[in-house]
Amino acid sequence: MLHFDSDYMRGAHPEVLRRLVGTNLEQTVGYGCDGYTAQAEKLILEACGLENTGKVVFLVGGTQTNATVIDSFLERRQGVICAETGHINVHEAGAVEFTGHKVLTLPSHEGRICPRELESYLQEFYKDETWEHMVAPGMVYISFPTEVGTLYTLSQLEEISAVCRKYELTLYLDGARLGYGLASDGCDVTLRDIARICDVFYIGGTKCGTLFGEAVVVRDASGWKHSLSAVKQHGALLAKGRLQGVQFEALFTDGLYLKISRNAIDKAMRLKAGFVAAGYELYKDSPTNQQFFVLPNGKIDELMKVATFELWGPRGEERTPVRFVTDWATTDAEIDELLGYL
Amino acid sequence: MLHFDSDYMRGAHPEVLRRLVGTNLEQTVGYGCDGYTAQAEKLILEACGLENTGKVVFLVGGTQTNATVIDSFLERRQGVICAETGHINVHEAGAVEFTGHKVLTLPSHEGRICPRELESYLQEFYKDETWEHMVAPGMVYISFPTEVGTLYTLSQLEEISAVCRKYELTLYLDGARLGYGLASDGCDVTLRDIARICDVFYIGGTKCGTLFGEAVVVRDASGWKHSLSAVKQHGALLAKGRLQGVQFEALFTDGLYLKISRNAIDKAMRLKAGFVAAGYELYKDSPTNQQFFVLPNGKIDELMKVATFELWGPRGEERTPVRFVTDWATTDAEIDELLGYL
Amino acid sequence: MLHFDSDYMRGAHPEVLRRLVGTNLEQTVGYGCDGYTAQAEKLILEACGLENTGKVVFLVGGTQTNATVIDSFLERRQGVICAETGHINVHEAGAVEFTGHKVLTLPSHEGRICPRELESYLQEFYKDETWEHMVAPGMVYISFPTEVGTLYTLSQLEEISAVCRKYELTLYLDGARLGYGLASDGCDVTLRDIARICDVFYIGGTKCGTLFGEAVVVRDASGWKHSLSAVKQHGALLAKGRLQGVQFEALFTDGLYLKISRNAIDKAMRLKAGFVAAGYELYKDSPTNQQFFVLPNGKIDELMKVATFELWGPRGEERTPVRFVTDWATTDAEIDELLGYL
Amino acid sequence: MLHFDSDYMRGAHPEVLRRLVGTNLEQTVGYGCDGYTAQAEKLILEACGLENTGKVVFLVGGTQTNATVIDSFLERRQGVICAETGHINVHEAGAVEFTGHKVLTLPSHEGRICPRELESYLQEFYKDETWEHMVAPGMVYISFPTEVGTLYTLSQLEEISAVCRKYELTLYLDGARLGYGLASDGCDVTLRDIARICDVFYIGGTKCGTLFGEAVVVRDASGWKHSLSAVKQHGALLAKGRLQGVQFEALFTDGLYLKISRNAIDKAMRLKAGFVAAGYELYKDSPTNQQFFVLPNGKIDELMKVATFELWGPRGEERTPVRFVTDWATTDAEIDELLGYL
């Protein structure tokens, strides 16, 4: 059976695992105060160009990271703006509201928010004399890549950032699949661009090579004091914090993170080309590791005997959108076998 | 340098790690819906004698587990009773209050609450006609072993349980170091006793052989419906849930959990005997893997050159209590070396 | 200056005030345990046909009532469904999210949700295998009248109720302006219908004759045990609870509530007829005490010299929607004067 | 029957009520944006000596005020320090924890905290290297008068304030009975002292002359921006906000607040003298409107036939502490009658 359901189906990249195994019996202090974590932070800040100003906070998973960061950067009375399709709005069991904050939605344009619509929303909001009776926006949440595999261009990010600065909003980027965005062909954005443009973002490990772990990068370290307390209060502090340090040190040594992310893109592009060549329609034209097609229901049933993948929404009368996901470990042989069934 | 600071300084037990490595490149569905997790649940329920009625929920760390379980079993208006020294009261950054619940404290008797004081508290509480203006207790939290290494006897647990049933309180046992309690010499309590007596408890992995992970055991599965939503809402759901399954499957195969826990006890007893033989005073007489002594400050300074361990409270004028902790991996050689410095 | 901004601009109906004055120096126990409150509860339950089964809980204001009721009836993991235009979604400063619950929105049809869209939403929700990763709906919130002055028909309420029962959702009706709905011409719903159909609803006092106060009616008293604790925890318990009792006793003696509500409708209908006769366009055709017109901007500027009223949204190029609100105290003379300016 | 249970058993002082009645049919804008509220704020700030710097926020009741202020001034990770007997710790149904903050307790010295114990607590806290794993104190809460009727001296308040400034803690004073403290004989503290020393405090109306309402005074207005949003989010915003304005305007015109508070003290002193003269023992020697005696159980039973008052704790074997409370309306005739039964 082939598996294209998601990018968190395997364990860690062999090099990451090798490091975990190699350090397993060492004894270090807990809670991320160890040398591996310090070294991982150093490597990440260098990669981001934030050596002297930034800070890295390691968390365990994506929903946890979103809830902890959003709650930590917002005032109590504030909410977070995102696209209707934003992960925090639809697929996190209300973890953001659980901490007391409303998710404020803008229309989704293939997973993206539009800078002009953002500005227009903010103008209307503050034009209303009764705005204090409503939830004031305090942050903009964007995903890169988005939940449907698309990317923002550099100029789109700059425009969103300009609006955020004008209205004093924190700009937060969810990089659960950051590597798969940065490594894709059309991407004109670098890690340093993101680190320069966003106030806070995270580099996803879980989907890009680690067993678990997300590295939150804060552009200005003074923006998140006492992060350890906040992380612990959210139940997100790992006793053996070095596990995150060891894994991210491996990922940020010799460019491993982007290298293994690129594999997913190569395989995704072969997969897309194969489906298109076989005459199937794209549901979204995604440059990243999630690929969306519209397939006849008969073909879906046939493929499901040999591969796992997700229906993207309810089954249609005759045809249904589907999603296939590649990852850092997907092989050409797997793609060949899948395409052979088309 | 020797390390006796805590029991979460190393990675995983080699057998646990071997299983993680062996399954690393397999692809499984996420969020604990995989076969390894199912198998781990089965093994744990068997060990607990709860095959047909219980349920296991895997979480990542201790504070997270406490906050998630307590919030899930309490009504909004209710609080949780614990000893003043209870970990949730003193060392979890307010994670329980963060979810809206007050921690109600009883006196600590070497880390334990007293069943009679518990009953007396409840009697007084409900005798007060204005009790609805106060926080109603909904749960009793106990630690086994306690934060100072002591244990409840079977009859103490039965007594506490009887009070809980009388007053309709959920009895929750924090087993962060459960193995080190069950494996200790004086312990007259078995895992099955705990599973029979408590409504919910957890079997700690982080401190007893895993990289991370705590297994929450619910005696009556119907007592925690939709736990996945609750866990996710608390930011505690691991994408690669199988990692917890694989690790706990290893721990609950061939009695590994108690076997490796026993090592910590053997070493702790040698350590205690050595200190006592060298004329040092016990601060607490602990039967488990945490050992507490009162040492002259000069001796402390001397030992700190060769070993790490914790001062247990502020440094005294002449002498100060200290804590040494052993774990599943502590060796006789380490104990020998330490005792050699006395 | 005439005032048509809202229905909470004056104090209490003279009869309500007379009762407050008459009882002012009496001494009673606090927190709603007094005889006036008991009597008000009795009168309300009789008016609702819930003498033997129901329960009344008095709160101070609307947002507070919504937050307290919603939080009390939902499980932690659940959210509340409402129309996009629902007051809890747009104008309560995030009070519902503040207590940890997501507001889930359906399209607004002149302020109403559609029973078929509700059912369709629920079907799709539970059809999705990953629904436990999302916020499960636990309640439906409707406003009667809605925020734009419209009403549900009896059959619409019955249909919504049927869906709620099928999916085990609590049906909650926000009756901030309940009197103005029940007293309106087209209304085919009675207070008893609402009490029979809804699980919980509130009878608004603030906008219909009291200084403040909302009476929450719970159909099945066992559905909200320990409400005093919940109310206090939400900061909503009034020390001099009898003030609510005295006021609602007055309102529910000799049908005062509906009688004074009817005045607002009479005046609103005269106001509507006058605007229409003067050739102005209705923005919404409301049968209740809120009336919406589209006026030329010049006319708006002119009227604003003599009367206060609200622009309903941003000022348009040439014309802008406006809202005029009548209440229990609006006089024919006020209407005459206003219409004289058209 | 005589009533000495509490000071919230009657309605409003006649002058306050007269003003409510006199303004009842006026129409004003809502939510405290009216002229009466502005005038009340002006009078209060003048009385406090904070004309140019301070701000007043009106809330409805005491528990609500505590929860809203504490949550607004604390960071998420912080808790509030108070005496074990502090109202927020024991009698507010967990309203502070409900908003996510831990109540940290110090020993109670007749209801007061000790400045030296406060400083010592803070020193120990920050001396612990692991303090970020605990709840960091962000505020000190004191009651004036305390829950047992005692007062802080000016120098005690200055000392507490000095510690707060040193450790960057907000000093918050709960003045539910503030008038009864300021008007008492031994009190060497003025309203201006409190306004100078505390960062935020409230002037209680509910117990001192109003139907309801508490006036929160913020020394530096910039310390609580967007208070309207916070108040609304807490469900504490009154639609007819002018009701608070009208009542407090009356209380702060011609010194009414202190004048009527003084009545309670005069009557309390007569009551105390009478009990003492009759040979009964003081339980606490309170200079304010709450008086505490230890009475033989037989005498209690006898008095309960003619007067209501509170047992202060569980009934003892032979004797039990009791509390009698006077208020702004207590008459000499009532005191005479009560003393006649001794």
Side-chain angles (χ1 to χ4, degrees):
Chain A
M1 196 64 140
L2 296 164
H3 296 289
F4 293 95
D5 312 25
S6 78
D7 31 20
Y8 47 78
M9 303 188 76
R10 289 169 171 102
H13 184 275
E15 175 59 18
V16 169
L17 191 64
R18 197 183 63 80
R19 293 285 295 152
L20 283 173
V21 171
T23 59
N24 185 57
L25 289 180
E26 288 181 24
Q27 282 175 292
T28 58
V29 294
Y31 304 115
C33 302
D34 62 283
Y36 293 109
T37 301
Q39 178 64 10
E41 179 172 21
K42 183 169 171 291
L43 292 173
I44 289 173
L45 290 178
E46 282 169 10
C48 290
L50 297 174
E51 293 88 336
N52 303 311
T53 56
K55 168 179 183 168
V56 178
V57 178
F58 293 98
L59 287 106
V60 174
T63 293
Q64 180 186 85
T65 300
N66 288 334
T68 305
V69 168
I70 291 170
D71 185 45
S72 296
F73 280 79
L74 288 184
E75 294 177 33
R76 279 296 246 173
R77 64 184 176 90
Q78 295 178 324
V80 53
I81 296 174
C82 75
E84 279 175 349
T85 49
H87 204 257
I88 55 169
N89 189 44
V90 293
H91 231 251
E92 300 195 349
V96 170
E97 290 86 359
F98 181 69
T99 68
H101 301 286
K102 191 175 184 71
V103 177
L104 305 160
T105 56
L106 289 180
S108 167
H109 301 278
E110 302 284 306
R112 290 178 290 250
I113 59 167
C114 162
R116 283 178 308 284
E117 287 176 358
L118 172 63
E119 176 143 31
S120 158
Y121 170 87
L122 292 161
Q123 280 172 344
E124 290 305 314
F125 183 84
Y126 286 109
K127 210 185 277 176
D128 187 331
E129 286 175 7
T130 69
W131 71 263
E132 283 195 317
H133 292 252
M134 298 186 278
V135 177
M139 176 185 264
V140 168
Y141 164 98
I142 56 177
S143 313
F144 186 93
T146 69
E147 292 75 10
V148 293
T150 55
L151 296 174
Y152 288 89
T153 63
L154 181 57
S155 82
Q156 285 169 333
L157 290 181
E158 299 274 22
E159 283 177 66
I160 290 171
S161 166
V163 178
C164 287
R165 290 178 192 189
K166 181 167 167 193
Y167 287 91
E168 298 187 350
L169 303 176
T170 299
L171 178 55
Y172 170 48
L173 182 146
D174 178 335
R177 295 188 171 101
L178 186 61
Y180 300 139
L182 295 175
S184 73
D185 289 325
C187 182
D188 68 347
V189 176
T190 65
L191 181 58
R192 293 198 164 212
D193 289 329
I194 285 172
R196 173 177 51 82
I197 291 169
C198 298
D199 298 296
V200 53
F201 68 99
Y202 79 88
I203 301 170
T206 302
K207 291 174 173 163
C208 303
T210 64
L211 289 177
F212 62 86
E214 323 294 325
V216 176
V217 180
V218 184
R219 195 181 54 230
D220 172 4
S222 72
W224 197 10
K225 288 181 202 155
H226 305 303
S227 54
L228 188 143
S229 295
V231 168
K232 182 148 188 149
Q233 191 177 49
H234 279 262
L237 190 64
L238 200 67
K240 299 180 184 174
R242 77 154 186 248
L243 297 177
Q244 294 153 323
V246 166
Q247 293 184 89
F248 275 94
E249 189 191 347
L251 282 187
F252 280 81
T253 297
D254 299 332
L256 186 67
Y257 186 61
L258 286 187
K259 210 180 305 174
I260 67 176
S261 293
R262 180 63 207 178
N263 178 71
I265 304 304
D266 288 339
K267 300 306 176 285
M269 292 306 108
R270 284 201 57 211
L271 190 148
K272 171 155 67 173
F275 271 81
V276 168
Y280 296 109
E281 187 191 337
L282 294 180
Y283 180 64
K284 312 265 178 198
D285 188 1
S286 156
T288 61
N289 73 317
Q290 301 182 77
Q291 293 297 321
F292 302 87
F293 311 103
V294 187
L295 300 186
N297 291 344
K299 193 68 198 172
I300 289 174
D301 296 340
E302 210 178 299
L303 284 176
M304 281 196 164
K305 291 180 192 144
V306 292
T308 61
F309 53 93
E310 273 193 16
L311 297 193
W312 200 250
R315 193 174 169 108
E317 290 288 302
E318 298 185 3
R319 306 191 311 157
T320 307
V322 295
R323 183 183 75 159
F324 286 77
V325 188
T326 62
D327 66 23
W328 52 270
T330 307
T331 61
D332 277 318
E334 287 167 341
I335 300 295
D336 289 340
E337 185 179 343
L338 179 69
L339 295 181
Y341 296 118
L342 293 188
Chain B
M1 195 66 141
L2 296 165
H3 296 287
F4 293 94
D5 314 22
S6 79
D7 33 19
Y8 47 79
M9 301 188 78
R10 289 170 171 101
H13 184 275
E15 176 59 18
V16 170
L17 192 65
R18 197 184 63 79
R19 293 286 294 151
L20 282 173
V21 171
T23 59
N24 185 58
L25 289 179
E26 287 182 25
Q27 283 175 291
T28 58
V29 293
Y31 303 114
C33 301
D34 63 281
Y36 293 109
T37 302
Q39 179 62 10
E41 178 173 21
K42 185 169 170 290
L43 291 173
I44 288 172
L45 290 178
E46 282 170 9
C48 291
L50 297 174
E51 293 87 335
N52 303 310
T53 55
K55 168 178 183 168
V56 178
V57 178
F58 293 99
L59 286 107
V60 175
T63 293
Q64 179 186 86
T65 300
N66 288 334
T68 305
V69 168
I70 291 170
D71 185 46
S72 296
F73 280 79
L74 288 183
E75 293 178 35
R76 279 296 245 173
R77 66 184 174 88
Q78 295 176 325
V80 53
I81 295 173
C82 75
E84 277 175 351
T85 49
H87 203 257
I88 55 169
N89 189 45
V90 293
H91 231 253
E92 300 196 350
V96 170
E97 291 85 358
F98 181 69
T99 70
H101 302 286
K102 191 175 185 71
V103 176
L104 306 160
T105 56
L106 289 180
S108 168
H109 301 276
E110 302 284 306
R112 289 176 292 250
I113 59 168
C114 162
R116 284 179 306 285
E117 287 176 358
L118 173 64
E119 177 143 31
S120 158
Y121 169 87
L122 293 161
Q123 280 172 344
E124 291 305 315
F125 182 84
Y126 287 109
K127 210 184 277 176
D128 187 331
E129 286 175 8
T130 69
W131 70 264
E132 283 196 316
H133 292 253
M134 298 186 280
V135 176
M139 176 184 265
V140 168
Y141 164 99
I142 54 177
S143 313
F144 187 94
T146 68
E147 292 74 11
V148 293
T150 56
L151 295 174
Y152 288 89
T153 64
L154 181 55
S155 83
Q156 286 170 331
L157 290 180
E158 299 275 22
E159 283 177 67
I160 290 171
S161 166
V163 178
C164 287
R165 288 176 196 190
K166 182 167 167 191
Y167 286 91
E168 299 188 349
L169 304 176
T170 299
L171 179 55
Y172 170 48
L173 183 147
D174 178 335
R177 295 188 170 100
L178 186 59
Y180 301 139
L182 295 176
S184 72
D185 289 324
C187 181
D188 69 346
V189 176
T190 65
L191 181 58
R192 292 197 166 214
D193 289 328
I194 285 172
R196 173 176 54 81
I197 290 169
C198 299
D199 298 295
V200 53
F201 68 100
Y202 80 87
I203 300 170
T206 302
K207 291 173 174 165
C208 303
T210 64
L211 289 178
F212 61 86
E214 322 295 325
V216 176
V217 180
V218 185
R219 194 182 55 230
D220 172 3
S222 72
W224 197 9
K225 289 182 202 152
H226 306 302
S227 54
L228 188 142
S229 294
V231 169
K232 181 149 189 148
Q233 190 177 49
H234 280 261
L237 190 64
L238 200 66
K240 299 181 184 174
R242 77 152 186 249
L243 298 177
Q244 293 152 325
V246 166
Q247 293 183 90
F248 275 94
E249 189 191 346
L251 283 187
F252 280 81
T253 297
D254 299 332
L256 186 66
Y257 185 63
L258 286 187
K259 208 178 308 173
I260 67 177
S261 294
R262 180 63 208 178
N263 177 72
I265 304 305
D266 287 339
K267 299 308 175 285
M269 293 306 107
R270 284 200 56 211
L271 190 149
K272 172 157 64 172
F275 271 80
V276 168
Y280 295 109
E281 186 191 338
L282 292 182
Y283 179 64
K284 312 265 178 197
D285 188 2
S286 157
T288 62
N289 73 317
Q290 301 183 76
Q291 292 299 320
F292 302 87
F293 310 103
V294 187
L295 300 187
N297 291 345
K299 193 70 199 170
I300 289 174
D301 296 338
E302 210 179 299
L303 284 176
M304 282 197 162
K305 291 180 191 144
V306 293
T308 62
F309 53 92
E310 272 192 17
L311 297 194
W312 200 249
R315 193 174 169 106
E317 291 287 304
E318 299 185 2
R319 305 192 312 156
T320 308
V322 296
R323 184 185 73 160
F324 286 78
V325 188
T326 62
D327 66 23
W328 52 269
T330 306
T331 61
D332 278 318
E334 288 167 340
I335 300 295
D336 289 338
E337 185 179 345
L338 178 69
L339 296 180
Y341 297 118
L342 293 188
Chain C
M1 196 64 139
L2 297 165
H3 296 289
F4 293 95
D5 314 23
S6 79
D7 31 20
Y8 48 77
M9 303 189 76
R10 290 171 170 99
H13 184 274
E15 176 58 19
V16 170
L17 192 64
R18 197 183 63 79
R19 294 285 295 150
L20 282 174
V21 171
T23 58
N24 185 57
L25 289 180
E26 288 181 25
Q27 282 175 291
T28 57
V29 294
Y31 303 115
C33 302
D34 62 283
Y36 293 109
T37 301
Q39 179 63 8
E41 178 172 22
K42 184 168 170 292
L43 292 173
I44 288 172
L45 290 179
E46 282 169 10
C48 291
L50 296 174
E51 294 87 336
N52 303 311
T53 55
K55 168 178 184 170
V56 178
V57 177
F58 293 98
L59 287 107
V60 175
T63 293
Q64 179 185 85
T65 301
N66 287 334
T68 306
V69 168
I70 290 169
D71 184 45
S72 295
F73 279 79
L74 288 184
E75 294 177 34
R76 279 294 246 174
R77 65 184 176 90
Q78 295 177 324
V80 53
I81 296 174
C82 76
E84 277 175 350
T85 50
H87 204 258
I88 54 169
N89 190 44
V90 291
H91 231 253
E92 301 195 349
V96 170
E97 290 86 358
F98 180 69
T99 68
H101 301 287
K102 191 176 185 72
V103 177
L104 306 159
T105 56
L106 289 180
S108 168
H109 301 277
E110 303 284 305
R112 289 178 291 250
I113 59 167
C114 162
R116 282 178 308 284
E117 286 176 358
L118 173 63
E119 178 143 31
S120 157
Y121 169 87
L122 293 161
Q123 280 173 343
E124 291 305 314
F125 182 84
Y126 287 109
K127 209 183 279 176
D128 186 331
E129 286 175 7
T130 69
W131 70 264
E132 283 195 316
H133 292 252
M134 298 186 280
V135 177
M139 177 184 265
V140 169
Y141 165 99
I142 55 177
S143 312
F144 186 94
T146 67
E147 291 74 10
V148 293
T150 56
L151 297 173
Y152 288 90
T153 64
L154 181 56
S155 83
Q156 285 170 333
L157 291 180
E158 300 274 22
E159 283 177 67
I160 290 171
S161 166
V163 178
C164 287
R165 289 177 195 191
K166 183 167 166 190
Y167 286 90
E168 299 188 349
L169 304 176
T170 299
L171 179 54
Y172 171 47
L173 182 145
D174 178 335
R177 296 187 170 101
L178 186 61
Y180 300 139
L182 295 175
S184 72
D185 289 325
C187 181
D188 69 346
V189 176
T190 65
L191 181 58
R192 293 198 165 215
D193 289 330
I194 285 172
R196 173 176 52 80
I197 290 169
C198 298
D199 298 295
V200 54
F201 68 99
Y202 79 88
I203 301 171
T206 301
K207 291 174 174 164
C208 303
T210 63
L211 289 178
F212 63 85
E214 324 294 326
V216 176
V217 181
V218 184
R219 195 181 54 229
D220 172 4
S222 71
W224 196 10
K225 287 181 201 154
H226 306 304
S227 54
L228 189 142
S229 294
V231 168
K232 181 149 190 149
Q233 191 176 48
H234 280 262
L237 190 64
L238 201 67
K240 299 180 183 174
R242 78 155 185 247
L243 298 176
Q244 293 152 324
V246 167
Q247 293 183 88
F248 274 94
E249 189 191 347
L251 283 187
F252 279 82
T253 297
D254 300 333
L256 187 66
Y257 185 63
L258 285 187
K259 210 179 308 173
I260 66 176
S261 293
R262 181 62 208 179
N263 177 71
I265 304 304
D266 288 339
K267 300 308 176 284
M269 293 305 109
R270 283 201 58 210
L271 190 149
K272 171 155 66 172
F275 270 81
V276 168
Y280 297 109
E281 187 191 339
L282 294 180
Y283 180 64
K284 311 264 180 199
D285 189 2
S286 156
T288 61
N289 73 318
Q290 301 183 76
Q291 293 298 320
F292 302 87
F293 310 105
V294 186
L295 299 186
N297 291 345
K299 193 69 199 173
I300 289 174
D301 296 339
E302 212 179 296
L303 284 175
M304 281 196 162
K305 291 178 191 146
V306 293
T308 60
F309 54 92
E310 272 193 17
L311 298 193
W312 199 250
R315 194 174 168 106
E317 292 286 305
E318 297 185 4
R319 306 192 311 156
T320 307
V322 296
R323 183 184 77 159
F324 286 77
V325 187
T326 63
D327 67 24
W328 52 269
T330 307
T331 62
D332 277 319
E334 288 167 340
I335 300 294
D336 289 340
E337 186 180 342
L338 179 69
L339 296 180
Y341 296 119
L342 293 188
Chain D
M1 197 65 142
L2 296 164
H3 296 289
F4 294 93
D5 313 24
S6 78
D7 32 20
Y8 48 77
M9 303 188 77
R10 291 171 169 100
H13 184 274
E15 177 58 20
V16 170
L17 192 63
R18 197 183 64 78
R19 292 286 294 152
L20 282 174
V21 171
T23 58
N24 186 57
L25 289 179
E26 288 181 25
Q27 283 174 290
T28 57
V29 293
Y31 303 114
C33 302
D34 63 282
Y36 293 108
T37 302
Q39 179 62 10
E41 178 173 21
K42 184 168 170 290
L43 292 173
I44 289 172
L45 290 179
E46 283 169 8
C48 291
L50 297 174
E51 293 88 335
N52 303 310
T53 55
K55 169 178 183 170
V56 178
V57 177
F58 294 98
L59 286 106
V60 174
T63 293
Q64 179 186 85
T65 299
N66 288 334
T68 305
V69 168
I70 291 169
D71 185 46
S72 296
F73 280 79
L74 288 184
E75 294 177 34
R76 281 293 246 175
R77 65 186 175 89
Q78 295 177 325
V80 53
I81 295 173
C82 76
E84 277 176 350
T85 50
H87 204 257
I88 55 169
N89 189 44
V90 292
H91 231 253
E92 300 196 349
V96 170
E97 290 87 358
F98 181 69
T99 68
H101 301 287
K102 190 174 185 72
V103 177
L104 306 161
T105 56
L106 289 181
S108 168
H109 302 277
E110 302 284 305
R112 290 178 290 251
I113 59 168
C114 162
R116 283 179 307 284
E117 286 176 358
L118 173 63
E119 178 144 30
S120 157
Y121 169 87
L122 293 162
Q123 280 173 344
E124 291 305 314
F125 183 84
Y126 286 109
K127 211 184 279 178
D128 187 330
E129 286 175 7
T130 69
W131 69 264
E132 283 195 317
H133 292 253
M134 298 186 280
V135 177
M139 176 185 264
V140 168
Y141 164 99
I142 55 177
S143 312
F144 187 93
T146 68
E147 292 74 11
V148 293
T150 55
L151 296 174
Y152 288 90
T153 63
L154 182 56
S155 82
Q156 285 170 332
L157 290 181
E158 300 274 21
E159 283 176 68
I160 290 171
S161 166
V163 179
C164 287
R165 290 179 194 187
K166 182 167 167 190
Y167 287 90
E168 299 189 350
L169 303 176
T170 298
L171 178 55
Y172 170 48
L173 182 146
D174 178 335
R177 296 188 170 100
L178 186 61
Y180 300 138
L182 296 176
S184 72
D185 289 324
C187 181
D188 68 346
V189 176
T190 65
L191 181 58
R192 292 198 165 214
D193 289 329
I194 285 172
R196 174 176 52 81
I197 290 169
C198 299
D199 298 296
V200 54
F201 68 100
Y202 79 88
I203 301 170
T206 301
K207 291 174 174 165
C208 302
T210 63
L211 289 178
F212 62 87
E214 322 294 326
V216 176
V217 181
V218 184
R219 194 181 56 229
D220 171 3
S222 71
W224 197 9
K225 289 181 201 154
H226 306 303
S227 55
L228 189 142
S229 294
V231 169
K232 181 150 190 148
Q233 190 177 48
H234 279 262
L237 190 64
L238 201 66
K240 299 179 184 174
R242 78 155 187 247
L243 298 176
Q244 294 152 323
V246 167
Q247 294 183 89
F248 275 94
E249 189 191 345
L251 283 187
F252 279 82
T253 297
D254 299 333
L256 187 65
Y257 185 62
L258 285 187
K259 209 179 307 173
I260 67 176
S261 294
R262 180 62 208 178
N263 178 71
I265 303 305
D266 288 339
K267 301 307 176 286
M269 292 307 107
R270 283 202 55 211
L271 191 149
K272 171 156 67 174
F275 270 80
V276 168
Y280 295 108
E281 186 192 338
L282 294 181
Y283 180 64
K284 312 265 178 196
D285 188 2
S286 157
T288 62
N289 73 318
Q290 302 182 76
Q291 292 299 321
F292 302 87
F293 311 104
V294 186
L295 300 185
N297 291 345
K299 193 68 197 172
I300 289 174
D301 296 339
E302 210 178 299
L303 285 175
M304 280 196 163
K305 292 180 191 144
V306 292
T308 60
F309 54 92
E310 272 193 17
L311 298 193
W312 201 249
R315 195 175 168 106
E317 292 287 303
E318 299 186 3
R319 306 192 312 156
T320 307
V322 296
R323 183 185 75 160
F324 286 78
V325 188
T326 62
D327 65 24
W328 52 268
T330 306
T331 62
D332 277 319
E334 288 168 341
I335 300 295
D336 288 339
E337 187 179 343
L338 179 68
L339 296 181
Y341 296 118
L342 293 187

